[in-house]
Amino acid sequence: RVFRAAGQGEGQLPRVSLLTFWTPPTTARLTVETVPPLAAEGNDVLLLACNVPENPLGYAWHRGERVDNSQLIASYRVDTNVTAKGPAHSNRETVYPNGTLLIQNITQKDTGFHTLLVSKVDLETEGQTGHLSPHPLGCIITSNNSRPWEHKDTVVLTCGAETRNTSYTWWINNQSLPNSTRLELSEDKRTLTVFTVTRNDTGPYVCEARNPVSVSRSDPFTLNVLCE
Ligand SMILES: *[C@@H]1O[C@H](CO)[C@@H](O)[C@H](O)[C@H]1NC(C)=O
Ligand SMILES: *[C@@H]1O[C@H](CO)[C@@H](O)[C@H](O)[C@H]1NC(C)=O
Ligand SMILES: *[C@@H]1O[C@H](CO)[C@@H](O)[C@H](O)[C@H]1NC(C)=O
Ligand SMILES: *[C@@H]1O[C@H](CO)[C@@H](O)[C@H](O)[C@H]1NC(C)=O
């Protein structure tokens, strides 16, 4: 998608007056890539600007699928390295000199399209849209063995999907974990290993995942220990 610019105000990025749909045949198209593609609430996300046109004058990031100045997050001028915050800036967004946008501590409010506009040396502009959909921590307990045998099997319980900067808490029978040589938490506490299970290890187990913007507690999980 190419946005044609009309006029350029003092110290401003070009205004956009009309859209054309034309792809330059020889150059790679500007694309926006969300990294990581599936981020949980509370994590940081990069909207990577890839194949940015050569020698850009500046970048402008907007919320939404269109270039709307009332939805401007920030604009960045390459010659001065100056970022100007827009009305849609929430103090968690950073535009890098390569056009990439960092959004920290994402929440459900960040869900949706984000549109990058690159101002080029020929005073034309090129735009591209990326999408963000933070998923809730939504933690559930999974076991690597649904039918372990008593006195025989070791079971690994895992709390939720892997996300960054999340802390975990576990309970067994509504109590915090007892001191036991048969229980072992991983360093990040996301997994709990129960060595050689016994009939007293059925639980229920509950875990909670917590990060700066979100908390999620699992449903109780019962271990179905098979006895001879
Ligand atoms: C995670 O925590 C580390 C250190 O505590 C910090 O440097 C980093 O920015 C945090 N990352 C996120 C996604 O919050
Ligand atoms: C742009 O810069 C940021 C921060 O240095 C980096 O994480 C990102 O990978 C760069 N983007 C591209 C497309 O190289
Ligand atoms: C992200 O959340 C952490 C923890 O609440 C906080 O310390 C940090 O300042 C936040 N970062 C931004 C950019 O809001
Ligand atoms: C579950 O993980 C434990 C520890 O790694 C391992 O000993 C056990 O064999 C695994 N169980 C199954 C069914 O894969």
Side-chain angles (χ1 to χ4, degrees):
R1 247 190 250 182
V2 170
F3 299 77
R4 188 174 292 278
Q8 194 178 13
E10 185 74 30
Q12 285 185 339
L13 293 170
R15 291 236 182 90
V16 174
S17 66
L18 89 109
L19 300 176
T20 56
F21 291 89
W22 171 75
T23 309
T26 51
T27 54
R29 277 182 58 148
L30 175 69
T31 58
V32 171
E33 198 183 317
T34 308
V35 178
L38 294 171
E41 284 185 283
N43 281 183
D44 297 350
V45 159
L46 287 171
L47 289 168
L48 284 184
C50 308
N51 304 320
V52 170
E54 262 180 61
N55 305 318
L57 302 179
Y59 312 100
W61 276 99
H62 304 77
R63 282 186 194 284
E65 218 173 342
R66 295 180 303 123
V67 174
D68 173 351
N69 284 335
S70 73
Q71 294 299 313
L72 176 71
I73 296 169
S75 59
Y76 179 90
R77 277 188 61 151
V78 172
D79 59 348
T80 57
N81 284 335
V82 170
T83 300
K85 293 178 185 177
H89 198 277
S90 74
N91 292 318
R92 293 173 299 120
E93 298 90 349
T94 307
V95 182
Y96 290 118
N98 61 13
T100 290
L101 177 71
L102 165 72
I103 308 179
Q104 290 175 274
N105 297 351
I106 56 166
T107 72
Q108 293 300 331
K109 284 186 231 150
D110 297 312
T111 301
F113 290 97
H114 290 71
T115 298
L116 164 66
L117 194 67
V118 181
S119 306
K120 302 193 289 186
V121 265
D122 57 8
L123 298 183
E124 299 232 334
T125 56
E126 193 170 335
Q128 190 54 259
T129 297
H131 193 263
L132 204 63
S133 48
H135 63 80
L137 283 175
C139 79
I140 53 166
I141 294 176
T142 52
S143 167
N144 79 338
N145 188 343
S146 57
R147 298 165 65 81
W149 282 100
E150 187 180 30
H151 303 309
K152 187 166 167 278
D153 286 327
T154 286
V155 171
V156 176
L157 302 177
T158 303
C159 182
E162 184 156 23
T163 64
R164 288 194 301 150
N165 287 41
T166 301
S167 59
Y168 301 89
T169 312
W170 290 82
W171 293 269
I172 302 178
N173 300 319
N174 296 315
Q175 314 269 315
S176 47
L177 293 190
N179 259 329
S180 164
T181 52
R182 289 194 309 105
L183 293 176
E184 190 178 278
L185 281 172
S186 59
E187 200 177 338
D188 67 358
K189 299 190 179 162
R190 189 167 76 95
T191 64
L192 174 65
T193 303
V194 187
F195 293 98
T196 29
V197 292
T198 72
R199 66 194 69 192
N200 299 323
D201 293 326
T202 52
Y205 296 77
V206 169
C207 76
E208 185 182 87
R210 176 186 291 267
N211 72 23
V213 306
S214 186
V215 182
S216 171
R217 189 174 286 204
S218 73
D219 285 335
F221 177 90
T222 303
L223 204 53
N224 185 18
V225 179
L226 305 176
C227 306
E228 298 277 3

